[in-house]
Amino acid sequence: QAVAGGGFAAMDALTCAIRALNEAAQTICGGSDAVGVSLVGLEERAAALGADLARGGITGELASFAEDAFAVAQRLVVDAAAPGDAACLVRLDALREHVTGATTQFMARVDSAMQAVRPLLLALPHQGLVRGLVEQLMAAILAVAADLREGKLQLPGVTGEAEAQPSAASLHSEGKAPAADGEADAAVTTPALAGEWTRVRGEAATAFLACALCTELATRMHGELQRLVSGHIMFARREYSAPLPVGDIVHQLERAAQELNAKCISLLASEVDADLQSGVAGRNWLQVPQPRAVSPFIDAILSQAVRALTTFNLLFADGGTAARTPWVPSGAPPAPKEYSSRTGQNQHSASVIHADMDRLFARKVSTVPQAVDSPKGAVGLLLRLSLKSTYEHVRTCTLGQHGYQQLQVDMHVLRWTMAECVDDQASLQALVDR
C-alpha cells in the first residue's frame, strides 16, 4: 500500500520497515548462540528483504514522477496553445514563460523524487540499489521524452474526424440543388474539411509545444541534472562518484525536438494540401474567367506561411524576421518567366528543346519533412511541400486558356511574395518554374 501511494509518506513507511528488519536481525543475532540461528544467513535475509522493499519504493516513486512529468507537459499544451483561428499556433504573449515554467516544474519533480527516495539509501547502504535508482531515473526521463515524441499529448476541445461530404443524391432528397462548378468548393468541400483542419492544427500546436519543451529540457538537463542527482545520492552515500549518462538523455531530447519540429511543419503542410485539394483539384479550370485576382489557394498557402513564421520566431527567438500581417509583396515584382508554345511555331523549336533540357536537368528539390533551425527555414520547408502538392494537383487538371493564365498569375504573385521570407530561394524558384 505504501509503494502504491508514492510520495514522502510512502518512503517514510518503507524506511521504517527496512530499519525494523535490520534491528530485528541484530536483536536475534545477539542471542544466536542460545537459539542456534545462523548469524550470516539472518543478516543476508534481512538485507535481501530490505533491498526488495527499497526497489519497490523507488519503482513506485519514479512511476509517479513519470506521470507527473507528463502532466506538466499536458498543462503546457492547455495553457500555451492558441485558438484554432489565430495567426499563430501558440499564444504570443507568454510562450517563453510557459515553457520555462514547465521546465522548472519538471526539474523540481526530479528533485522531489530524489529527495523522497534518499531515506531509503540512508537506511540500506547498497551499491546495487544506487545503480538501480540511477538507471530507473534515466529510463523514466527517456520514457517521458518518448511520449512527447510519439505525440501522446492531447489538446482538449479539438474536433475529431471530418464529417462525410453530402452527396448530390442526398441534397436532392432534401430539396436542395447541387452546387454549380464554381460554387462546389464553398458549398460542400469546405464544411466537410473544417473539422479536419481543426484537428490537424491542434496536433501541430501540440507538436510545436512539445518541441519547445524538449529543447528547453535538453538545455537545462545538460547543466543541472548531474549536480542535482549526484547531490542527493552523495548525501546518503558519500563514496558515490559515478557520472550519470546525461549525454544520452540530452541526445534523446534533442532528437525528439527535431522530430517534433519536422512533424509540426508536415501537419501545417497537410492542412494546406486540404485547401489545394478543393482550390486546385476540385476546380473547373476550363470555365475559369479571365484572371482579375489571385486564386484563394494562394491566400491559404501564404496565411499558413505567416503562421509558421510567427510560430517559429518564438522557438528560435529571432526578432529580425517578424511576420507582417497581412503578408504582402515588397519591392519590385520579378520579371515574368517567358513560355513558348509548341504548335505551329517552328521559330521556337530551339527554345522548346532548351526548355525540355532545362526540365531534364532541373535541380532536384527535397520535399521530405525535416527539422529546421530558423523561422525562414520553417517557411521555406512549408512552401516547398505546398508547391510540390500544388504541382501534383495541377497535373490532374485540364486547363483552358484563362485557367492557364490564372495559374501563371498565381505563381508570379507567389514568386514575388516569398522572396524575403525564405533562406533558399533557388529551390523554391525551381518548384515555381516547374
Side-chain angles (χ1 to χ4, degrees), residues 154-343:
Q154 298 292 330
L155 182 62
V158 298
T159 308
E161 297 296 330
E163 297 179 359
Q165 296 187 15
S167 62
S170 64
L171 291 174
H172 179 74
S173 64
E174 295 173 3
K176 300 178 182 178
D181 290 337
E183 301 173 353
D185 300 339
V188 177
T189 309
T190 301
L193 293 175
E196 183 71 12
W197 290 346
T198 304
R199 183 185 65 81
V200 170
R201 193 169 300 176
E203 291 180 358
T206 55
F208 176 81
L209 289 169
C211 171
L213 180 60
C214 287
T215 302
E216 187 70 16
L217 280 174
T219 302
R220 289 283 294 272
M221 288 191 176
H222 183 269
E224 299 180 18
L225 188 61
Q226 176 73 46
R227 174 180 54 82
L228 180 65
V229 177
S230 297
H232 286 290
I233 295 178
M234 292 179 67
F235 181 84
R237 299 295 305 276
R238 295 185 180 277
E239 69 277 10
Y240 179 81
S241 59
L244 300 177
V246 177
D248 295 339
I249 298 292
V250 173
H251 174 72
Q252 292 298 326
L253 286 170
E254 291 175 345
R255 180 180 176 183
Q258 292 176 354
E259 293 181 7
L260 290 164
N261 184 319
K263 180 181 178 180
C264 179
I265 296 295
S266 178
L267 287 167
L268 292 177
S270 69
E271 187 174 2
V272 174
D273 185 70
D275 289 324
L276 295 174
Q277 188 173 359
S278 60
V280 179
R283 188 175 185 181
N284 188 348
W285 291 93
L286 293 174
Q287 298 182 3
V288 172
Q290 186 174 1
R292 290 288 184 269
V294 178
S295 297
F297 74 87
I298 296 296
D299 292 332
I301 293 176
L302 294 181
S303 63
Q304 199 73 293
V306 170
R307 184 173 289 110
L309 182 62
T310 307
T311 302
F312 280 85
N313 267 330
L314 300 174
L315 179 62
F316 298 105
D318 185 0
T321 57
R324 294 164 296 187
T325 304
W327 192 329
V328 295
S330 62
K337 187 173 180 63
E338 296 182 358
Y339 299 90
S340 299
S341 174
R342 296 171 180 259
T343 59

Side-chain angles (χ1 to χ4, degrees), residues 63-149:
S64 177
F65 155 76
E67 293 178 0
D68 293 345
F70 186 79
V72 167
Q74 184 63 56
R75 284 195 297 271
L76 171 65
V77 169
V78 175
D79 294 339
D85 57 349
C88 183
L89 291 175
V90 294
R91 299 186 184 277
L92 293 172
D93 50 357
L95 175 68
R96 183 59 57 185
E97 288 77 4
H98 283 305
V99 174
T100 303
T103 306
T104 301
Q105 294 177 29
F106 192 100
M107 299 302 293
R109 191 61 187 87
V110 174
D111 180 67
S112 64
M114 293 301 300
Q115 198 168 10
V117 302
R118 192 169 66 182
L120 298 177
L121 305 181
L122 287 170
L124 187 65
H126 193 279
Q127 187 67 26
L129 191 64
V130 175
R131 287 196 299 268
L133 168 62
V134 172
E135 291 174 359
Q136 290 188 60
L137 176 62
M138 300 300 106
I141 296 175
L142 290 176
V144 175
D147 288 342
L148 297 178
R149 182 174 64 248

Side-chain angles (χ1 to χ4, degrees), residues 393-414:
H393 284 304
V394 168
R395 290 179 60 188
T396 65
C397 300
T398 303
L399 306 178
Q401 178 183 1
H402 290 166
Y404 183 69
Q405 293 172 346
Q406 181 67 60
L407 279 178
Q408 285 183 316
V409 171
D410 295 338
M411 293 300 104
H412 184 69
V413 171
L414 190 59

